[in-house]
Amino acid sequence: MKKIQKKLSVVLAVMMVLCMFTALPFSASAAETSEETSAGNKINVTSNVTDPVSYDYNAQTEQVVVTYLLKADHMIVDTQSSLTYDSKVLKLASTTTTNTKNKVFPVFQSSIVWNPSLTNQVLFNCSSLDLFNFKSENVYCTFTFDVVGSGDTTVNLNVDYLTGTEADTYDELFESEKKDIDYIYNSANKVAGAAFTAKAVLVQGEEPTTAPQPTTATQPTTVTQPTTAPATKPTQPATEPTQPQSGVSVTGDIALPLADDGNGIYTGSTELEAGSYTFKMSVNGVAFGNGSTFTDKTTNAKYNSKWTSSTTLKATGGKYTFKFNTAKNTLTIEYLAPSKASIVGDINLDLQATKDANVYSASVKLNKGNYEFRVMNQGVRYCCGYTYKDLTVGSQYNSKWSSASTLAASGGTYTFSYDIDTNKLTISYLPSGAEVSVVGNFTLALAKTDKENVYSGTKTLKAGNYQIKMNNYGKLCGTSAVVKDVTPGLVFNPKWSKYTTFVATGGTYTFTYNTATNTLVVTADKGDIPVKVTGDINLSLKKSDTNVFTGSVKLKKGDYSFKMNVNGTDFCNGTTIRNATTGTIKYNSKYTSASTLVAVGGTYTFAYNALTNQLSVKYSK
């Protein structure tokens, strides 16, 4: 999936809400209220991606609910942000009752990884191949603060990155024509296609005679109140509406409004605990039924307004995405199981299941710096006190160890993959700017060739084993194959997390990758290395073609014992050659027996391929 950054102009609208009040009696005088306001009690809500808004508060203001909304043209793949505030004035309300994950991040919900325990800031990020829907304006995040001080204060959201995709579903992500959209990267300002809006609601302990107004002149004067969805069943978490009512929803044990994605498709996601749920689909108040029973997911199940039976969803537990096609009256349910492993510390990242058995993986974009972290495996903490420079290909972790790992990041995208059975961690590194590249123990950016979808690059490698993956426009593709020096065509897949082992015997290697078929071709050139015939025959060969070395010598009639020597290493084959070879003979550095040439007398030409280690001998009088 190619990543193409699109820059279009857009005007971001800023919404305003008036203060929300409780029904307690008001005892402060108008003079007192005016005096408190003039003392400089102002809450500024700012961000690198919105216009600022400001609100006056007073001694009766008990809480402030700060909300950032997002409307994006495309589905969202991942994001990372930080929220900062002054704890001398504002205190983050309880994270067990008020600021729960599902309430703060109603769209991201369990996919989000956050750290609200830091002083004066909250860090959070998330990434999911199931995608997030902000095509209708929705809550990006909403935080509730208790007012514990006075004076001017600021709550600021800094969006580090926000990535969209032209794909609308998990399956479409891997179609070659679907591209990623870098809406925001490395704290860019407002961008086209992703419009953020900031607002706040003041919760008063005593109701003043007049409602305080936001002081920003550009605000409309519409009053809005926060809303919450009614609880439907104890085992389903309460879910805030994800958008203005579209008229399409899931009803019954599951109460979930669906957002209009366009083309008659309506989508919504919710977290469900394990259990059985009965539901119907509702379209503009008309109930649509299907009496089937589904376990976790289904595809294009047919619904009809004439059918009265409810559907039963047998949920294993996790995230469920409902997609209803109003043109065809069909329902698709997508399921994402809860993560069994996560990265915690300076990096907080839930890992999701991959096609590789027991391996959980997720990616995050990081700036240059050192990051300490540990691994949580099914509720148990695992540690390893190593420091990694950008990557590791299989570090052993142990629940008995306590020291944190350190990632010394150069900056870019990092993919953490953890095997929950062997407790081994792999980190893949994708540097910024290398759109198509070989990554792993070495990084090689590939350049566009004159062939469609084909990219190529050359690198000189010493003899050794290298762990590699392919980067296809930001998608890391893997396969667990072992390749020695060359391959005519090795297929990679973005759903595989394992590395390819590339065994190099040393030389210059050309890596050619087709981004449409995810196929890698590797050719090698051993270079102009010393190749000799040694023993009874002493002959230095000269390079005549790629990896081929030749030389001629006159010999009298007799038997000659010899070995091949390539760059100082002996290669042997104990065969007997009678005057000339009829084809090629394979040599190996593990063998020790010399070859015997039975010569009749004349000129003998030796041709040796230093890559395939094959010898041919020709004879002339």
Side-chain angles (χ1 to χ4, degrees):
M1 181 173 59
K2 298 183 178 179
K3 178 179 284 185
I4 298 179
Q5 298 182 0
K6 297 182 177 179
K7 302 295 182 183
L8 303 173
S9 62
V10 70
V11 177
L12 299 181
V14 179
M15 297 180 62
M16 177 200 76
V17 293
L18 300 178
C19 301
M20 181 183 75
F21 308 98
T22 60
L24 299 177
F26 176 62
S27 60
S29 67
E32 288 172 333
T33 301
S34 174
E35 184 177 4
E36 290 161 355
T37 300
S38 63
N41 288 339
K42 188 183 298 294
I43 296 174
N44 303 302
V45 182
T46 63
S47 173
N48 65 316
V49 291
T50 69
D51 291 331
V53 291
S54 297
Y55 299 83
D56 292 330
Y57 71 102
N58 55 36
Q60 284 72 45
T61 306
E62 292 185 344
Q63 287 188 324
V64 180
V65 182
V66 176
T67 302
Y68 293 90
L69 303 168
L70 169 62
K71 184 179 186 301
D73 291 345
H74 297 87
M75 301 292 277
I76 300 301
V77 179
D78 53 22
T79 188
Q80 176 173 295
S81 296
S82 61
L83 186 90
T84 57
Y85 60 95
D86 184 357
S87 58
K88 295 179 180 178
V89 180
L90 301 176
K91 177 185 177 183
L92 195 66
S94 171
T95 56
T96 60
T97 56
T98 304
N99 283 312
T100 63
K101 185 184 291 188
N102 288 354
K103 290 181 180 179
V104 176
F105 310 103
V107 176
F108 300 122
Q109 295 196 13
S110 66
S111 297
I112 203 79
V113 178
W114 68 322
N115 189 346
S117 63
L118 301 174
T119 303
N120 295 324
Q121 64 176 330
V122 180
L123 305 178
F124 58 92
N125 60 60
C126 68
S127 177
S128 175
L129 299 182
D130 277 358
L131 311 181
F132 305 107
N133 188 353
F134 287 90
K135 291 185 177 180
S136 295
E137 188 176 56
N138 212 328
V139 174
Y140 179 78
C141 62
T142 179
F143 291 88
T144 300
F145 296 93
D146 296 329
V147 179
V148 296
S150 61
D152 289 353
T153 192
T154 297
V155 177
N156 181 73
L157 173 72
N158 191 79
V159 181
D160 298 318
Y161 67 81
L162 179 74
T163 306
T165 175
E166 291 184 346
D168 286 324
T169 65
Y170 173 91
D171 292 334
E172 287 183 7
L173 272 174
F174 306 108
E175 297 179 8
S176 60
E177 67 270 16
K178 300 298 182 182
K179 304 176 181 65
D180 282 354
I181 300 100
D182 262 347
Y183 283 131
I184 298 167
Y185 187 70
N186 285 341
S187 300
N189 291 322
K190 305 175 197 176
V191 294
F196 282 86
T197 304
K199 68 176 184 179
V201 170
L202 309 185
V203 181
Q204 298 297 107
E206 297 186 28
E207 184 176 2
T209 55
T210 59
Q213 299 291 326
T215 58
T216 303
T218 56
Q219 305 294 311
T221 56
T222 305
V223 176
T224 60
Q225 299 291 339
T227 58
T228 55
T232 58
K233 188 177 182 179
T235 53
Q236 181 196 4
T239 304
E240 296 185 27
T242 58
Q243 41 122 94
Q245 294 294 328
S246 65
V248 180
S249 61
V250 185
T251 62
D253 291 341
I254 303 170
L256 178 66
L258 305 185
D260 185 358
D261 289 348
N263 299 321
I265 307 296
Y266 293 78
T267 303
S269 298
T270 187
E271 296 283 335
L272 297 176
E273 297 178 3
S276 293
Y277 300 79
T278 60
F279 68 88
K280 293 182 181 180
M281 300 304 303
S282 175
V283 180
N284 295 323
V286 178
F288 285 70
N290 179 320
S292 300
T293 296
F294 306 130
T295 299
D296 284 331
K297 58 185 178 180
T298 185
T299 301
N300 294 326
K302 187 70 177 178
Y303 279 68
N304 197 307
S305 60
K306 297 179 181 179
W307 300 340
T308 58
S309 299
S310 296
T311 301
T312 299
L313 174 64
K314 291 187 174 181
T316 304
K319 181 179 179 180
Y320 295 82
T321 299
F322 291 76
K323 296 183 178 181
F324 193 72
N325 187 325
T326 56
K328 300 179 180 180
N329 290 324
T330 56
L331 175 67
T332 294
I333 304 175
E334 297 173 353
Y335 169 63
L336 181 64
S339 174
K340 292 185 178 181
S342 60
I343 308 298
V344 296
D346 293 339
I347 303 168
N348 290 285
L349 188 64
D350 276 342
L351 307 184
Q352 302 298 327
T354 69
K355 286 187 66 177
D356 296 310
N358 306 315
V359 176
Y360 287 72
S361 183
S363 299
V364 62
K365 292 180 181 178
L366 299 174
N367 294 326
K368 182 177 181 179
N370 291 339
Y371 299 81
E372 288 192 352
F373 67 90
R374 294 175 174 85
V375 178
M376 294 297 294
N377 180 358
Q378 301 173 85
V380 179
R381 189 185 71 176
Y382 286 76
C383 301
C384 177
Y386 290 157
T387 295
Y388 309 117
K389 174 61 177 175
D390 287 325
L391 58 93
T392 179
V393 293
S395 263
Q396 184 68 57
Y397 278 64
N398 197 306
S399 59
K400 297 180 181 179
W401 301 337
S402 59
S403 298
S405 303
T406 300
L407 175 63
S410 301
T413 300
Y414 294 81
T415 299
F416 292 76
S417 300
Y418 194 76
D419 190 314
I420 62 173
D421 278 1
T422 64
N423 285 302
K424 287 187 176 180
L425 175 71
T426 295
I427 304 175
S428 304
Y429 166 55
L430 177 61
S432 303
E435 293 179 321
V436 180
S437 53
V438 184
V439 297
N441 290 142
F442 65 87
T443 300
L444 174 64
L446 306 184
K448 186 85 170 67
T449 69
D450 56 359
K451 296 181 180 179
E452 186 178 7
N453 302 317
V454 176
Y455 294 73
S456 188
T458 300
K459 187 174 184 64
T460 299
L461 298 173
K462 296 180 180 180
N465 293 352
Y466 299 85
Q467 303 296 309
I468 65 169
K469 289 184 181 180
M470 296 306 303
N471 161 37
N472 188 345
Y473 279 88
K475 294 296 179 184
L476 286 177
C477 304
T479 178
S480 57
V482 177
V483 176
K484 184 176 181 180
D485 280 327
V486 296
T487 175
L490 182 64
V491 177
F492 287 71
N493 193 308
K495 295 182 181 180
W496 291 101
S497 66
K498 293 185 177 179
Y499 278 89
T500 295
T501 300
F502 183 71
V503 182
T505 58
T508 300
Y509 296 87
T510 299
F511 295 80
T512 303
Y513 194 68
N514 188 311
T515 58
T517 62
N518 281 316
T519 302
L520 174 69
V521 174
V522 183
T523 58
D525 186 347
K526 300 295 288 185
D528 194 10
I529 57 178
V531 178
K532 299 177 181 179
V533 185
T534 63
D536 295 339
I537 303 171
N538 188 4
L539 175 64
S540 293
L541 307 185
K542 301 295 183 182
K543 189 175 182 179
S544 59
D545 199 354
T546 303
N547 302 316
V548 177
F549 296 76
T550 60
S552 299
V553 62
K554 288 185 178 181
L555 299 174
K556 295 179 180 180
K557 181 178 180 179
D559 294 350
Y560 298 84
S561 176
F562 71 90
K563 297 179 180 180
M564 299 303 303
N565 185 279
V566 180
N567 205 22
T569 301
D570 284 336
F571 286 75
C572 300
N573 184 315
T575 190
T576 296
I577 302 170
R578 301 192 180 278
N579 208 48
T581 60
T582 56
T584 58
I585 300 174
K586 182 75 172 178
Y587 280 67
N588 198 308
S589 61
K590 297 180 180 179
Y591 302 157
T592 58
S593 300
S595 301
T596 300
L597 174 64
V598 180
V600 298
T603 300
Y604 295 83
T605 300
F606 290 74
Y608 191 79
N609 188 313
L611 180 65
T612 62
N613 292 304
Q614 292 177 320
L615 172 69
S616 68
V617 180
K618 295 182 179 180
Y619 161 74
S620 63
K621 292 183 178 180

